[in-house]
Amino acid sequence: MNSSNDEDMMNSLTRITRGVGVAFKDGRVKGILAFTVGMILWASVFYHFVEGWSWLDSIYFSVVTISTVGFGDFSPETAAGKIFTMLYIIVGLGVFVTAATTVADTILSQDDKKADK
């Protein structure tokens, strides 16, 4: 790599880092991230008590499911767990996408504001 590419990469990383800092100060971002974390915790409590999984496994499954990664190493065995998971996926997917979009939009809007100056 030449110094111009290194400089461009550093500028990009600096802009992203600055954007993430601004995003996490934004009330919209804080609210949707808090809601997302709340959903993950709520689902984790459900899986812990209904499916009998450890706390780590419950949190892991909740995150993997809401993010649509779905490794398939865990799956609910009870009818209640299966029904809950279907609803959790439908609602959680929308919440997760909204959270990711809100953070990305806030980061990208920092570049727009800078360009307007």
Side-chain angles (χ1 to χ4, degrees):
M1 279 189 158
N2 62 35
S3 65
S4 177
N5 287 342
D6 290 344
E7 206 172 294
D8 290 344
M9 186 180 293
M10 287 306 296
N11 286 336
S12 294
L13 288 173
T14 301
R15 283 195 328 267
I16 291 169
T17 303
R18 188 178 318 114
V20 168
V22 170
F24 286 114
K25 292 177 186 171
D26 185 287
R28 271 181 330 148
V29 172
K30 284 183 191 178
I32 194 65
L33 288 178
F35 189 74
T36 304
V37 169
M39 280 196 68
I40 291 168
L41 293 176
W42 173 61
S44 299
V45 168
F46 176 89
Y47 292 123
H48 178 74
F49 290 108
V50 173
E51 294 296 324
W53 296 343
S54 71
W55 285 110
L56 180 60
D57 288 344
S58 298
I59 293 166
Y60 167 80
F61 183 77
S62 299
V63 171
V64 166
T65 300
I66 199 171
S67 66
T68 72
V69 172
F71 289 122
D73 47 354
F74 287 97
S75 61
E77 297 294 324
T78 65
K82 291 173 184 178
I83 292 167
F84 176 83
T85 300
M86 288 186 287
L87 296 171
Y88 179 60
I89 289 169
I90 291 167
V91 174
L93 178 59
V95 171
F96 185 80
V97 168
T98 300
T101 302
T102 303
V103 170
D105 181 52
T106 304
I107 291 169
L108 293 174
S109 70
Q110 296 308 302
D111 284 343
D112 293 344
K113 288 177 184 175
K114 198 171 187 180
D116 289 343
K117 289 183 178 181

